[in-house]
Amino acid sequence: MSKVFSAHAVSVNGYISGRTPDGAEEFGRGLGDAPMLFDWYFDGDTPSRLFDGFKLDEPSARFFDAIAARVGAAVAGRTTYEHSSHWGGGSPHPTAPLFVVSHRPAPEISERQTLVTTGVGDAIAAAREVAGDKDVALMGGGLVTEALRTGLVDELILHQVPILLSGGHSFFQELPEHVQLRLLEVIPASGVTHLHYEVVR
């Protein structure tokens, strides 16, 4: 059966983005003052086999491409979608279709994207159907937290960048109870450590 996982670049203190000017929501600037969270995508000498323009440290490239090759569909929350400038009408993944979860109308949704207004569970179910025997990747802290609350996440991957950010948006929001994780692998690389966890049920 396919799996549902999330892979995010995070600071050591758990932020997936930094501060925006005056603390305002500035769509299109999702990383705020923390673009260094994504430096490891471009600071290496090994091109990604799946993502054009990505040049990573060799251990990162090996791990990143193996994870990306698993993805058959992606699900993103509305805030992540807006901060990412709608991915230009496409998807964060070069071949996987995108499902966007939102309770508000989204006239900017393209023909290559699917709007789901009935919640995270329905979006993941629809993505799983499209993904077939491949996996579903989740994007966005609020969306991942909601999926964890409802027991829909199988794995978490943290691309941990060695920095303590002064503020911004935390990856995980408040959960109703503890979520136990089992460490599957640790991949140290230049500018990042990849932490791969399984969610224990």
Side-chain angles (χ1 to χ4, degrees):
M1 186 176 178
S2 66
K3 292 185 176 180
V4 176
F5 74 92
S6 178
H8 277 68
V10 300
S11 68
V12 171
N13 53 339
Y15 289 107
I16 56 174
S17 67
R19 298 180 187 275
T20 51
D22 300 321
E25 289 290 342
E26 188 174 338
F27 290 135
R29 283 201 58 205
L31 291 178
D33 64 357
M36 74 290 293
L37 291 178
F38 282 177
D39 283 353
W40 60 275
Y41 283 5
F42 310 105
D43 284 352
D45 54 12
T46 304
S48 168
R49 293 180 287 104
L50 299 173
F51 283 72
D52 290 341
F54 284 20
K55 293 188 73 174
L56 308 98
D57 189 45
E58 194 278 330
S60 286
R62 186 168 9 99
F63 180 76
F64 179 83
D65 282 348
I67 294 299
R70 295 170 43 183
V71 179
V75 179
R78 181 64 178 270
T79 299
T80 301
Y81 178 71
E82 297 288 358
H83 276 313
S84 302
S85 300
H86 313 151
W87 284 288
S91 171
H93 190 281
T95 60
L98 174 66
F99 293 78
V100 180
V101 181
S102 177
H103 299 296
R104 296 178 283 116
E108 65 277 11
I109 290 284
S110 76
E111 293 181 357
R112 298 172 56 205
Q113 302 168 338
T114 301
L115 178 66
V116 180
T117 60
T118 51
V120 173
D122 286 346
I124 290 174
R128 271 194 139 138
E129 188 171 338
V130 168
D133 60 355
K134 288 200 164 187
D135 295 337
V136 173
L138 306 182
M139 299 192 66
L143 181 131
V144 172
T145 301
E146 184 58 32
L148 283 166
R149 287 184 183 128
T150 51
L152 294 174
V153 181
D154 299 301
E155 296 177 10
L156 290 170
I157 297 164
L158 305 180
H159 305 298
Q160 191 181 78
V161 176
I163 188 170
L164 297 170
L165 295 184
S166 63
H169 292 280
S170 296
F171 184 14
F172 299 106
Q173 299 175 12
E174 187 172 335
L175 292 162
E177 57 187 19
H178 300 324
V179 175
Q180 187 70 37
L181 305 176
R182 178 183 297 115
L183 184 62
L184 299 178
E185 58 184 331
V186 178
I187 309 293
S190 177
V192 63
T193 300
H194 307 284
L195 305 170
H196 186 183
Y197 296 98
E198 177 184 44
V199 177
V200 177
R201 294 193 176 90

